[in-house]
Amino acid sequence: MERYGSWPNVAAMMFARSREWPDQPMLRWHRDGAWHGMRWGAFGRAAASTARRLRALGVAPGDRVLIVSENRPEFPIAETALLAIRAVPVPTYTTNTVGDHAHVLRDSGARVAIVSQGAFAERVAEAGPLDRIITMEPFASPRISVTPWGELIGDDAPIDDVVAEAAGIAPGTMACIIYTSGTAGAPRGVMLPHRALLANCYGAFELVRPLALNRETYLSFLPLSHSYEHLAGQFFLLSIGTEVVYSRGVEHLASDMTVVRPTVMTVVPRILDVIRSRILAQVAREPAWRQALFQRAIAVGAARGEGLPVALADRVLDPLLERLVRRRVRARFGGRLRVMMSGGARLEPEVGKFYLGLGIAMLQGYGQTEAGPVISANTAGAARIATVGRPLPGVEVRIAEDGEILVRGDLVMDGYWGKPEETARAMVDGWLRTGDVGQLDERGFLTITDRKKDLIVLSGGENVSPARIEGMLVAEPAIAQACVFGEGRAGIAALAVAAEGFDEVAVAAAVSMVNKRLSVTERVRRHAVVAPFTLQNGMLTPSHKVKRHEVVREYGKVLERLMA
């Protein structure tokens, strides 16, 4: 892959690949009971046709255009087309309520929306004033002009004119606006220029270079509107020749893995926790000798994954452990999985080591929407799983006096759309103030200790990291989700969700086990078992982060009782 500077912008990169690899598989998806595929050449023609038609419909340079769609081929086609004509895509979650869409429309000023399903289109139409909705599936509105997607992709002319137009877009031009997930308030629109996305592509390529990736298969299930999947699943992995396969959804993930047999996946820690807990629950029902063999396989594999020395006896035993344990467990993931990229939230070291132990390269990373989004990541064969790795090439990281992580480089955003004062607070002398607290060790590995604004200050003045406690709680097989509180109080209280097959007694025992490993000030004094935090009840973001303010709103009285 060329250095990212060889392409002036993301659209040019995508069209260049469509010309280089016209017959290479690019995308795969499931629709109407069957799997379908698209090659790079067809993608390039569809994106060029869409660009011409969007311009004919009046979409002009600088216009913000909402994209509301599940993961499907029309998403990257639409975004590449918009980028090519200098319009500004605004990817938005399909789970957004009418109020959520109203906020984004009002804040961004978008007057055109590209929407997949009719139900999504109805919500967008209700949310605010729009001049036009382009729908991938049938939809009619008495108030807004509606254009069927099919009218955009029918032009089979050569792509040369659109390619030439895209070639003139400078790296500093704004590429897209991605709204933050809103875990602590109203989402803000992050302005990402082409250089930020390209810098991430280059840095990520250098990161995975030791893996010698070649014609890989990537199963995409995180929403493309999330900054992490937007970069990894839509631009970076495609740019290195990976075939991207869109999952039918998280509820079908297990069966999709066995059918698609991916070699690469991006997963949030919440999903990793669930899979690990289910495997461990099954192992616990095996005879003692099988449990011992499993634990030995994980320990030896994790040591190898972190580049640590392995005893001679374990090296001799390792081929047997691979055949009897690891290979059988990896069959659950399709049998070909080589790399898992984890991000979006804290990954407990023991969870990461579990997957390293299975012989899967676990590239835990760290990033923010404001940084394109990837800042650092572990590398295969030299992972320090308790950290989030080293900064990507071209990324500068330093720790401020108060412990805050500061980031500088081409990957950093231009600011928050329409919010100059908030931009000024976030950007100081070219450094992005991440709001995260962390440490850099002597080898350059970065460790995240907490969100600066999320640190709990107890009534005695002690600072407590909620992320650390929550991570340890959900690492227990009996606990699926956890959220801790205690600001201004004498001690910590927790809301816990029992994992499948476990009850309140098991949760209490798990809390007790965790407390033994915590300091006195960190220990959970009281807890309550509550219903799951889900997308449907509004307590999770689409990337499976807990919305603390929503949890407080729902369980305020319970928390008051716990912390009384």
Side-chain angles (χ1 to χ4, degrees), residues 254-276:
S255 58
D256 283 351
M257 282 192 287
T258 58
V259 172
V260 174
R261 304 184 67 228
T263 59
V264 183
M265 287 185 68
T266 293
V267 189
V268 292
R270 164 77 181 128
I271 302 297
L272 294 172
D273 288 338
V274 170
I275 296 172
R276 172 178 172 268

Side-chain angles (χ1 to χ4, degrees), residues 283-416:
V283 171
R285 294 192 289 268
E286 297 286 340
W289 69 270
R290 283 187 177 274
Q291 293 184 41
L293 199 65
F294 181 88
Q295 296 300 335
R296 187 79 171 268
I298 295 298
V300 175
R304 285 189 180 280
E306 292 195 277
L308 301 175
V310 177
L312 176 60
D314 285 332
R315 292 201 301 271
V316 173
L317 184 62
D318 200 45
L320 182 64
L321 296 173
E322 172 69 16
R323 185 170 67 255
L324 295 181
V325 179
R326 300 192 199 105
R327 190 179 301 168
R328 292 184 178 183
V329 178
R330 288 201 305 270
R332 297 168 180 245
F333 305 99
R336 299 196 305 157
L337 189 60
R338 298 178 56 202
V339 184
M340 293 183 88
M341 298 178 286
S342 172
R346 175 185 171 89
L347 178 69
E348 280 299 299
E350 61 190 275
V351 177
K353 288 180 180 180
F354 176 82
Y355 289 95
L356 284 178
L358 292 176
I360 300 170
M362 176 57 68
L363 307 186
Q364 183 193 188
Y366 162 66
Q368 290 189 342
T369 302
E370 291 87 342
V374 185
I375 295 170
S376 68
N378 277 287
T379 55
R384 297 185 65 175
I385 207 65
T387 78
V388 292
R390 295 186 178 101
L392 297 188
V395 179
E396 295 180 72
V397 172
R398 68 181 177 90
I399 308 299
E401 290 185 5
D402 63 356
E404 184 173 11
I405 300 167
L406 308 180
V407 177
R408 185 167 66 179
D410 283 348
L411 77 168
V412 172
M413 68 172 180
D414 282 341
Y416 296 113

